[in-house]
């Protein structure tokens, strides 16, 4: 069978239409997408480079200004000689001429201490100010309570020798520990300048060296805005390859070998540029005043992460458009194929003699007109055959079914009446009375085809039921009615009281060790009809009452026990009242052990009950 259908499927016009639709729409879309992805990728890459270079340019300008500020601060010792403090240069000259280790006067020492404190207060990031005169006398101050190491000899340190060798230029030492303070672990950057004698321009002598220890918080403020990517660090490197600062804290103070290898690439006429490497882009900005280079190593992974994000977005759009194109082509093809196949299926039904076959007409195009023509043809054929043959057979079947429906209840009532008369003839009047009561109940239940009845009719059925109960239980169970006459003509749901009364008899009074009574009362309360059914039976325990309340509020039909289903009647009445009248109506149950149970039926006031099979609810 499959070998026969495959050639037909290949030759299907709908398949050809679908393939053509996809080819015409999908191929241009893929070509355009390929070109667009390439253009977007290049644009994103170039935009990322430009943004990164601009960020580094701002960082370079900020660092240039920072170095310029500290450069000016180191020159304060020249301007500090003016005015009332003019004795500072004379003091330093005296210190040069004095023998090494000689003590200066208290006034001279106080003047030097005032100077270093003055310099400390000029900038928030300066942590320590140290002045070393020509005979290595040290004057210092700090913003934190740190103990100066009096045994620290600056003259034996390479750092001081490098500062002295720098001449009159500003010397910047890369981040280093504060070794001249006891147990200090802070790292600082030192800005240093030699102070020269101004009176002898031909052979000036060094009168001392000023050291400014600056914390790294100022760099942190600049670098906080420099986030080129997760794998793209940014560093400030001096001409010796030492890392002045980096957002990778582990590199600060270290000599970067990769910079030394590529140092020639970062020097040139341009102040900033981009170097493309195999794994990364190096974006750099020169800081001439500090002889620093700000370098951002932008990982290709981070760059192409943004490019890939755009590619993925475009790819998803392409997939969505392709899927929409395929679905659209299939929808168009299905719009042609499905109606034709349905028409062919209905034609096969007609071939088998089913003249009820019809095709739904959903459009006014050629296929819709074809379907309408088919329906008209089958309808006319069905009318013709029905007039001559099928109509007569259907009529006979309907008449026969109606006759059976009418005969069944009457046959049951007549049979019970014959049995009752036989019982009376044989002297069994009690049995006859019971059969009569049963017959009346059956007629009310299955022959009285109405949903709404009057309260009088429902109470009459209950009284008839109690005739059987009285005979069966030998007057052990009694019935008492307390219903005002004006309530008896109001409408209630058929068979809404009987299950409640039966439940009171079977589960309330029957288990009791003595006679019992069922009381039915009614009243109009808050524009509603309330009918109460009370029995003085065994009552219910709190646990049983709680389970009953939970059952009435749930969707279950009853309570399943080992003996079978219980409480089905109460649950059925409660659900019928709520379905017919709304959620504000239904059953409420109160009970107490060894005292009894009261069940209240709350329903709207129905003043008229129609005689037809339906129901009509009119206001009071």
């Amino acid at each position: 069978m499959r070998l026969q259908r495959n050639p037909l499927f290949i030759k299907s016009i709908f398949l050809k239409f679908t393939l053509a639709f996809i080819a015409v729409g999908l191929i241009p879309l893929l070509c355009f997408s390929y070109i667009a992805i390439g253009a977007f990728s290049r644009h994103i890459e170039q935009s990322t480079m430009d943004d990164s270079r601009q960020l580094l340019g701002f960082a370079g300008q900020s660092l240039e200004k920072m170095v310029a500020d500290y450069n000016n601060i180191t020159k304060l010792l020249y301007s500090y000689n003016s005015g009332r403090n003019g004795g500072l240069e004379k003091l330093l000259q005296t210190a040069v001429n004095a023998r090494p280790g000689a003590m200066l006067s208290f006034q001279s020492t106080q003047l030097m201490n005032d100077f270093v404190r003055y310099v400390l207060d000029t900038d928030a990031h300066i942590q320590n100010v140290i002045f070393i005169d020509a005979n290595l006398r040290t004057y210092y101050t700090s913003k934190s309570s740190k103990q100066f190491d009096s045994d620290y000899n600056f003259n034996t340190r390479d750092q001081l020798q490098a500062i002295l060798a720098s001449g009159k230029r500003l010397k910047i030492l890369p981040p280093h520990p504060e070794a001249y303070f006891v147990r200090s672990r802070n790292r600082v950057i030192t800005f240093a300048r030699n102070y020269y004698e101004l009176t002898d321009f031909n052979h000036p002598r060094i009168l001392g060296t000023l050291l400014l220890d600056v914390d790294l918080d100022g760099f942190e403020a600049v670098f906080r805005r420099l986030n080129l990517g997760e794998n793209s660090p940014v560093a400030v490197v001096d001409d010796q390859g030492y890392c002045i600062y980096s957002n990778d804290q582990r590199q600060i103070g270290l000599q970067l070998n990769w910079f030394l290898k590529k140092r020639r690439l970062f020097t040139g006429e341009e102040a900033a540029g981009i170097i493309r490497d195999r794994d990364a882009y190096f974006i750099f900005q020169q800081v001439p005043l500090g002889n620093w280079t700000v370098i951002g190593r932008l990982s290709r992974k981070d760059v192409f992460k943004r490019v890939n994000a755009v590619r993925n977005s475009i790819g998803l759009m392409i997939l969505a458009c392709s899927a929409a194109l395929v679905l659209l082509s299939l929808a168009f093809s299905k719009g042609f194929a499905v109606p034709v196949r349905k028409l062919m299926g209905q034609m096969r039904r007609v071939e088998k003699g089913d003249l009820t076959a019809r095709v739904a007409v959903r459009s006014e195009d050629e296929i819709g007109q074809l379907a309408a023509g088919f329906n008209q043809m089958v309808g006319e054929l069905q009318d013709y055959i029905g007039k001559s043959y099928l109509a007569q057979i259907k009529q006979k079947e309907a008449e026969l079914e109606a006759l059976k429906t009418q005969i069944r209840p009457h046959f049951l009532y007549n049979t019970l009446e014959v049995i009752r008369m036989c019982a009376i003839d044989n002297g069994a009047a009690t049995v006859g009375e019971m059969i009569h009561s049963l017959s009346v109940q059956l007629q009310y239940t299955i022959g009285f085809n109405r949903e709404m009845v009057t309260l009088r009719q429902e109470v009459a059925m209950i009284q008839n039921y109690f005739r059987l109960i009285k005979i069966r239980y030998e007057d052990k169970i009694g019935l008492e009615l307390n219903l005002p006459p004006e309530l008896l003509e109001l409408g209630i749901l058929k068979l809404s009281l009987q299950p409640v009364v039966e439940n009171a008899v079977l589960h309330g009074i029957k288990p009791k060790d003595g006679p019992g009574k069922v009381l039915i009362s009614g009243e109009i309360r808050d524009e509603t009809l309330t009918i109460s059914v009370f029995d003085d039976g065994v009552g219910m325990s709190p646990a049983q009452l709680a389970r009953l309340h939970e059952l009435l509020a749930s969707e279950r039909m009853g309570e399943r026990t080992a003996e079978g289903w219980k409480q089905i009647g109460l649950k059925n009445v409660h659900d019928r009242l709520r379905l017919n009248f709304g959620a504000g109506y239904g059953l409420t149950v109160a009970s107490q052990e060894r005292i009894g149970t009261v069940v209240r039926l709350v329903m709207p006031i129905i003043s008229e009950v129609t005689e037809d099979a339906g129901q009509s609810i009119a206001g009071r």
Side-chain angles (χ1 to χ4, degrees):
M1 191 68 179
R2 185 177 298 176
L3 294 176
Q4 294 177 357
R5 289 189 176 182
N6 280 340
L8 294 177
F9 178 74
I10 294 174
K11 296 178 181 179
S12 172
I13 187 173
F14 304 113
L15 175 62
K16 296 177 181 178
F17 174 79
T18 302
L19 294 177
F21 195 89
I22 293 175
V24 171
L26 193 58
I27 292 176
L29 177 64
L30 293 176
C31 294
F32 171 77
S33 301
Y34 177 78
I35 297 173
I37 288 177
F40 272 112
S41 299
R42 290 189 295 272
H43 174 73
I44 293 286
E45 182 179 1
Q46 185 61 42
S47 176
T48 303
M49 296 295 103
D50 293 341
D51 292 344
S52 301
R53 185 160 61 178
Q54 188 175 15
L55 286 175
L56 260 67
F58 291 150
Q61 294 174 8
S62 300
L63 294 176
E64 182 79 11
K65 182 179 182 301
M66 178 189 299
V67 175
D69 291 341
Y70 290 124
N71 182 51
N72 293 330
I73 292 175
T74 59
K75 296 178 181 180
L76 286 176
L77 49 83
Y78 290 110
S79 60
Y80 199 78
N81 288 323
S82 60
R84 63 183 180 86
N85 299 314
L88 182 59
E89 181 179 1
K90 182 179 179 180
L91 169 65
L92 294 176
Q93 290 174 350
T94 302
V96 171
N97 296 326
R99 59 183 176 82
M103 297 294 293
L104 296 180
S105 65
F106 174 79
Q107 182 180 6
S108 300
T109 304
Q110 186 65 32
L111 183 62
M112 291 303 305
N113 290 332
D114 290 343
F115 170 71
V116 294
R117 281 195 293 270
Y118 170 76
V119 175
L120 180 69
D121 294 335
T122 57
D123 186 82
H125 295 294
I126 298 177
Q127 297 299 309
N128 311 307
V129 178
I130 302 173
F131 187 84
I132 307 169
D133 66 14
N135 285 327
L136 298 181
R137 296 183 184 89
T138 303
Y139 309 90
Y140 66 92
T141 186
S142 176
K143 285 187 177 176
S144 57
S145 57
K146 292 176 289 189
Q147 181 181 357
F148 189 78
D149 187 358
S150 57
D151 295 332
Y152 190 88
N153 190 351
F154 283 94
N155 194 37
T156 63
R157 305 297 173 174
D158 295 336
Q159 292 181 344
L160 182 59
Q161 300 303 322
I163 296 172
L164 294 173
S166 65
K168 297 181 179 181
R169 293 184 294 106
L170 176 70
K171 181 65 176 179
I172 304 176
L173 302 180
H176 59 87
E178 297 174 327
Y180 29 82
F181 286 98
V182 178
R183 291 189 297 273
S184 176
R185 298 181 180 180
N186 297 332
R187 287 193 301 177
V188 293
I189 298 175
T190 300
F191 293 83
R193 181 179 293 278
N194 295 317
Y195 179 54
Y196 283 84
E197 186 179 24
L198 299 179
T199 56
D200 188 356
F201 293 100
N202 295 324
H203 303 286
R205 292 181 300 171
I206 296 179
L207 299 180
T209 302
L210 179 66
L211 307 179
L212 306 180
D213 289 341
V214 178
D215 60 27
L216 302 180
D217 292 344
F219 292 87
E220 176 67 24
V222 175
F223 274 66
R224 191 178 299 120
R225 298 187 297 268
L226 289 177
N227 184 13
L228 303 184
E230 181 180 355
N231 302 302
S232 302
V234 181
V236 180
V237 186
D238 63 11
D239 59 343
Q240 300 299 318
Y242 286 98
C243 179
I244 302 298
Y245 193 81
S246 174
N247 51 13
D248 184 359
Q249 299 291 324
R250 297 169 299 179
Q251 296 183 354
I252 297 177
L254 301 179
Q255 194 172 33
L256 305 181
N257 293 326
W258 60 266
F259 174 80
L260 297 176
K261 294 178 181 179
K262 299 180 180 293
R263 181 166 51 183
R264 61 181 181 81
L265 300 176
F266 298 112
T267 58
E269 296 181 358
E270 296 184 359
I274 298 176
I275 300 172
R276 287 175 170 81
D277 201 359
R278 182 180 63 180
D279 299 325
Y281 299 91
F282 291 95
I283 306 172
F284 61 94
Q285 171 76 35
Q286 300 292 344
V287 184
L289 186 58
N291 204 13
W292 292 344
T293 304
V294 184
I295 304 175
R297 186 181 182 276
L298 189 59
S299 171
R300 285 183 178 269
K301 182 178 180 181
D302 286 337
V303 174
F304 285 99
K305 182 186 296 184
R306 305 178 188 179
V307 175
N308 291 334
V310 176
R311 288 178 177 174
N312 293 337
S313 299
I314 296 177
L316 289 176
M317 292 178 59
I318 293 172
L319 290 177
C321 293
S322 301
L325 186 61
V326 172
L327 293 176
L328 186 62
S329 64
L330 292 176
F332 272 109
S333 178
K334 184 178 180 181
F336 293 133
V338 172
V340 173
R341 290 171 184 164
K342 289 183 178 179
L343 180 60
M344 293 173 63
Q346 298 303 321
M347 290 176 64
R348 295 189 186 98
R349 290 179 57 187
V350 174
E351 290 176 359
K352 296 177 181 180
D354 184 4
L355 298 181
T356 62
R358 295 292 187 275
V359 179
V361 180
R362 303 184 184 277
S363 62
E364 297 181 358
D365 54 10
E366 289 80 359
I367 295 180
Q369 294 177 10
L370 182 61
F374 172 79
N375 292 339
Q376 183 179 0
M377 179 191 70
V378 176
E380 293 176 356
L381 181 61
Q382 186 180 25
D383 291 341
Y384 176 77
I385 296 177
K387 289 178 182 179
S388 60
Y389 182 70
L390 291 180
Q392 296 179 7
I393 296 178
K394 294 295 182 182
Q395 182 65 26
K396 295 298 181 182
E397 291 179 352
E399 292 175 358
L400 181 60
E401 187 65 28
L403 184 59
K404 289 180 181 179
T405 303
Q406 294 176 0
I407 289 175
R408 286 171 188 153
H410 288 290
F411 176 77
L412 179 60
Y413 303 150
N414 292 336
T415 302
L416 290 174
E417 185 64 19
V418 170
I419 296 173
R420 187 178 75 86
M421 295 305 297
C422 289
I424 293 175
D425 291 342
N426 290 296
T430 302
V431 176
E433 184 179 354
M434 293 178 67
I435 293 175
H436 177 70
S437 297
L438 176 62
S439 177
V440 171
Q441 284 195 350
L442 288 175
Q443 186 175 7
Y444 180 83
T445 304
I446 66 176
F448 196 47
N449 190 21
R450 292 167 59 189
E451 180 71 13
M452 297 296 299
V453 297
T454 63
L455 179 59
R456 185 187 301 277
Q457 291 171 319
E458 186 79 1
V459 170
M461 191 275 294
I462 294 174
Q463 290 174 327
N464 192 64
Y465 166 73
F466 261 86
R467 292 190 185 97
L468 294 175
I469 296 299
K470 180 178 181 182
I471 296 172
R472 180 179 178 184
Y473 295 105
E474 299 177 351
D475 295 331
K476 176 183 177 182
I477 303 175
L479 174 67
E480 181 179 343
L481 299 177
N482 184 16
L483 297 170
E486 63 271 15
L487 301 185
L488 295 177
E489 302 306 322
L490 297 180
I492 65 171
L493 285 178
K494 177 183 174 182
L495 295 177
S496 57
L497 275 180
Q498 191 273 342
V500 179
V501 173
E502 183 177 353
N503 190 77
V505 171
L506 296 179
H507 303 290
I509 301 177
K510 181 182 175 182
K512 184 179 178 182
D513 295 334
K517 181 177 63 176
V518 176
L519 172 63
I520 302 177
S521 62
E523 62 177 338
I524 294 177
R525 181 190 302 172
D526 297 331
E527 299 299 324
T528 60
L529 173 62
T530 301
I531 300 176
S532 301
V533 178
F534 171 78
D535 69 83
D536 56 357
V538 296
M540 289 184 283
S541 66
Q544 291 174 325
L545 185 61
R547 287 198 302 269
L548 178 58
H549 286 163
E550 190 271 334
L551 173 64
L552 294 178
S554 69
E555 299 295 331
R556 305 195 310 272
M557 68 176 184
E559 183 179 3
R560 184 70 177 270
T561 64
E563 293 81 13
W565 288 93
K566 290 185 177 181
Q567 309 295 351
I568 295 179
L570 294 181
K571 175 64 174 174
N572 181 271
V573 173
H574 180 70
D575 290 345
R576 288 176 61 205
L577 289 173
R578 291 170 65 89
L579 288 173
N580 279 274
F581 304 126
Y585 303 96
L587 295 185
T588 60
V589 183
S591 182
Q592 190 169 355
E593 286 186 286
R594 294 185 297 278
I595 294 179
T597 302
V598 59
V599 179
R600 290 185 175 86
L601 292 80
V602 181
M603 62 190 75
I605 299 174
I606 303 170
S607 58
E608 294 183 6
V609 180
T610 59
E611 298 297 331
D612 57 10
Q615 78 179 45
S616 174
I617 302 177
R620 185 177 175 183

